[in-house]
């Protein structure tokens, strides 16, 4: 029987379909462009290849096409009846995810990954910053991610994908040295892995290596297709570093060419969060942001996320609405906040509302409540520095500079040498 690169058996008798499937999986776990086409090519080589349809469903989901994902998933399920146990379980677990049954999917994925740890298409769903653990909204989710990838470690050896995911788990729990070792190992095996290059950028961020990070990422991005899943977000990293170095022309160029609605080809979740984030990080640095920019991202957020429920999006949307002066949209987020991090979303929504009114004391009070465990809203440490620096700004506005400096040194020591907020 044919197997994939991780030795999982594949129910296809076509060597060509198998090879194309393996390539498609590698493309997906590298966050490469044209993931869907990869799985479609495998299907074209064997129209009865159930796992290729399941892969297509996942690729479509990651590309922001939930309807297409469900269509492909239905075909996979129809084909799954006579499959061996592991493949049939793979399709069942994937279907829970594709149909949006997240609680069930999470439990089923953990059980499947424990039984078949090298079934990478299932195992990867819980890894990374936007995975099911990352977005669980639960206290301790960063430690849980490290525990999860640690449980996979004995089964993956020197695999480039696994090393990159494990590196990120270490990095986000503050174990920067170990994270650096692992990401360098991963990139040495496969340099053109966007997930790994993105994590390398986080290593540079978490070690305060702004110039080295910029040089690495700008060079890496040159050969990355604009349609790649992480293109917009990696451009956000470059923009942030340009801002930090005072090169605002470069910052706006990166933003206007790669990050904002209408130009970015990535997912709406990245477009909303990265745009709102860079606009406010720019304001915090004393840069003037045109009101039309806030209006654009506020409108986009309402269009693509009419309902609350993803805390990480909701907080950034609340920021955009507050800065755009859309009090109805802001109030809607505060009053309808849903999911395990709803309490934090409410606090941040009120904080940004108060900031927009220049009510710095009230904003400080709401941010202080939310600061204890803002990891629950999701996102990386680098992304959540937006929240840290928002609090510093409200303190500076109240002539509490000493407190702001102490807070930065205490909570983000590696960034203490930088000046993330104007007037610090
Ligand atoms: Fe990032």
């Amino acid at each position: 029987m044919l197997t994939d690169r991780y030795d999982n058996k594949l129910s296809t008798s076509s060597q060509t379909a198998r090879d194309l499937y393996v390539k498609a999986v590698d493309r997906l776990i590298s966050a490469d462009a044209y993931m869907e086409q990869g799985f479609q090519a495998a299907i074209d080589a064997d129209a009865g290849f159930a796992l290729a349809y399941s892969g297509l469903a996942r690729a479509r989901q990651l590309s922001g096409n939930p309807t297409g994902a469900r269509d492909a998933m239905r075909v996979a399920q129809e084909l799954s009846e006579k499959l061996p146990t592991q493949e049939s379980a793979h399709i069942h677990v994937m279907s829970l995810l594709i149909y949006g049954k997240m609680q069930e999917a999470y439990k089923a994925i953990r059980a499947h990954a424990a039984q078949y740890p090298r079934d990478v298409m299932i195992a990867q769903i819980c890894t990374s910053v936007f995975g099911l653990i990352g977005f669980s909204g639960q206290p301790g989710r960063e430690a849980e991610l490290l525990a999860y990838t640690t449980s996979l470690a004995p089964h993956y050896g020197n695999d480039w994908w696994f090393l990159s995911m494990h590196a990120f788990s270490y990095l986000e729990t503050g174990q920067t040295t170990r994270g650096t070792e692992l990401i360098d190992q991963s990139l040495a095996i496969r340099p053109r892995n966007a997930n790994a290059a993105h994590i390398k950028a986080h290593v540079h961020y978490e070690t305060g290596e702004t110039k080295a990070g910029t040089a690495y990422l700008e060079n890496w991005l040159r050969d990355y297709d604009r349609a790649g899943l992480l293109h917009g977000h990696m451009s956000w990293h470059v923009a942030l570093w340009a801002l930090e170095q005072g090169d605002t022309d470069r910052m706006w160029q990166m933003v206007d060419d790669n990050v904002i609605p209408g130009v970015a080809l990535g997912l709406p979740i990245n477009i909303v969060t990265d745009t709102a984030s860079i606009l406010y990080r720019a304001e915090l640095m004393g840069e003037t942001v045109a009101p039309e920019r806030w209006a654009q991202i506020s409108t986009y957020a309402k269009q693509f996320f009419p309902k609350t429920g993803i805390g990480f999006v909701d907080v950034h949307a609340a920021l955009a609405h507050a800065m755009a002066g859309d009090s109805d949209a802001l109030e809607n987020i505060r009053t309808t906040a849903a999911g395990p991090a709803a309490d934090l979303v409410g606090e941040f929504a009120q904080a940004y509302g108060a900031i927009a009114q220049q009510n710095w004391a009230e904003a400080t009070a709401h941010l202080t409540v939310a600061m204890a465990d803002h990891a629950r809203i999701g996102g990386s440490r680098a992304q959540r520095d937006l929240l840290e620096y928002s609090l510093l700004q409200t303190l500076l506005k109240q002539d509490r500079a000493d407190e702001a400096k102490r807070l930065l040194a205490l909570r983000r020591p590696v960034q203490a040498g930088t000046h993330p907020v104007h007037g610090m």
Side-chain angles (χ1 to χ4, degrees):
M1 198 173 193
L2 295 172
T3 57
D4 69 10
R5 199 166 61 74
Y6 291 94
D7 313 316
N8 299 295
K9 286 177 182 152
L10 298 174
S11 288
T12 178
S13 53
S14 161
Q15 182 70 43
T16 307
R18 177 267 171 201
D19 292 348
L20 289 165
Y21 176 81
V22 166
K23 236 176 162 177
V25 170
D26 281 352
R27 209 179 267 187
L28 187 139
I29 60 180
S30 308
D32 222 340
Y34 313 114
M35 298 182 291
E36 293 177 51
Q37 286 87 335
F39 289 106
Q40 187 59 56
I43 291 165
D44 292 344
D46 176 2
F49 190 179
L51 248 53
Y53 282 99
S54 178
L56 179 63
R58 177 66 172 150
R60 284 179 174 169
Q61 182 191 45
L62 288 172
S63 309
N65 175 9
T67 309
R70 287 192 290 270
D71 291 344
M73 202 65 236
R74 267 191 291 277
V75 182
Q77 286 176 302
E78 282 163 20
L79 292 169
S80 75
E81 279 175 19
K82 288 178 189 156
L83 288 180
T85 315
Q86 182 184 336
E87 284 174 87
S88 151
H90 176 123
I91 284 167
H92 171 66
V93 170
M94 188 66 88
S95 72
L96 294 173
L97 179 82
I98 298 297
Y99 297 138
K101 296 175 182 167
M102 292 307 168
Q103 301 290 340
E104 273 179 79
Y106 173 71
K107 283 184 194 159
I109 291 161
R110 293 300 299 265
H112 190 92
Q115 196 172 357
Y116 310 108
R118 283 174 67 81
D119 201 347
V120 70
M121 285 290 287
I122 300 300
Q124 61 91 22
I125 299 167
C126 279
T127 58
S128 182
V129 64
F130 283 2
L132 290 198
I133 293 174
F135 272 166
S136 69
Q138 299 299 327
R141 58 101 180 164
E142 289 164 313
E144 188 188 347
L145 185 65
L146 178 58
Y148 175 64
T149 54
T150 300
S151 76
L152 297 177
H155 308 282
Y156 279 91
N158 244 9
D159 176 68
W160 53 264
W161 167 79
F162 174 73
L163 290 170
S164 70
M165 292 298 111
H166 205 28
F168 187 70
S169 305
Y170 274 112
L171 196 60
E172 293 294 289
T173 45
Q175 300 190 59
T176 315
T177 307
R178 186 70 182 130
T180 306
E181 285 167 8
L182 292 174
I183 204 62
D184 288 346
Q185 282 176 34
S186 169
L187 282 162
I189 301 165
R190 187 175 167 111
R192 297 308 300 173
N193 168 7
N195 278 322
H198 171 226
I199 292 158
K200 180 72 177 171
H202 276 268
V203 164
H204 284 302
Y205 186 94
E206 292 301 327
T207 48
E209 297 162 340
T210 303
K211 280 188 180 152
T214 304
Y216 172 76
L217 206 48
E218 286 194 331
N219 185 48
W220 200 94
L221 276 172
R222 252 174 230 131
D223 295 321
Y224 188 39
D225 197 295
R226 282 183 57 80
L229 200 60
L230 286 170
H231 187 276
H233 179 67
M234 288 162 93
S235 302
W236 171 87
H237 277 275
V238 174
L240 198 57
W241 277 328
L243 176 68
E244 196 184 308
Q245 293 172 93
D247 190 350
T248 48
D249 288 346
R250 177 74 177 135
M251 187 268 295
W252 286 122
Q253 185 207 351
M254 284 307 285
V255 169
D256 290 337
D257 290 351
N258 306 296
V259 179
I260 60 174
V263 298
L265 301 177
L267 288 174
I269 186 171
N270 286 120
I271 295 173
V272 168
T273 58
D274 290 335
T275 303
S277 170
I278 196 69
L279 294 185
Y280 202 63
R281 294 283 292 258
E283 285 207 1
L284 289 172
M285 292 283 277
E287 183 74 4
T288 303
V289 174
E292 306 83 65
R293 287 184 178 277
W294 283 116
Q296 182 197 37
I297 196 59
S298 167
T299 303
Y300 181 89
K302 280 188 288 186
Q303 186 189 343
F304 282 88
F305 298 95
K307 284 186 189 164
T308 54
I310 307 171
F312 190 62
V313 170
D314 298 337
V315 168
H316 286 83
L319 166 63
H321 300 327
M323 294 303 127
D326 190 337
S327 50
D328 288 346
L330 180 63
E331 187 61 5
N332 179 53
I333 289 187
R334 186 185 72 79
T335 54
T336 67
D343 55 326
L344 295 180
V345 171
E347 294 294 343
F348 282 117
Q350 289 175 90
Y352 286 118
I355 286 173
Q357 302 296 319
Q358 302 196 2
N359 191 340
W360 308 111
E362 190 190 328
T364 305
H366 289 297
L367 288 171
T368 303
V369 172
M371 211 48 60
D373 193 7
H374 59 48
R376 282 173 48 222
I377 69 156
S380 65
R381 288 180 169 214
Q383 288 172 310
R384 285 180 282 109
D385 275 348
L386 169 76
L387 313 172
E388 296 283 343
Y389 299 164
S390 296
L391 176 57
L392 301 185
Q393 179 205 34
T394 65
L395 293 171
L396 288 169
K397 291 285 186 185
Q398 298 168 87
D399 297 323
R400 293 158 70 180
D402 282 352
E403 207 179 325
K405 281 180 191 159
R406 200 175 310 120
L407 210 54
L408 178 62
L410 184 70
R411 291 180 63 90
R412 294 295 276 147
V414 74
Q415 311 293 339
T418 66
H419 301 280
V421 184
H422 180 67
M424 189 117 178

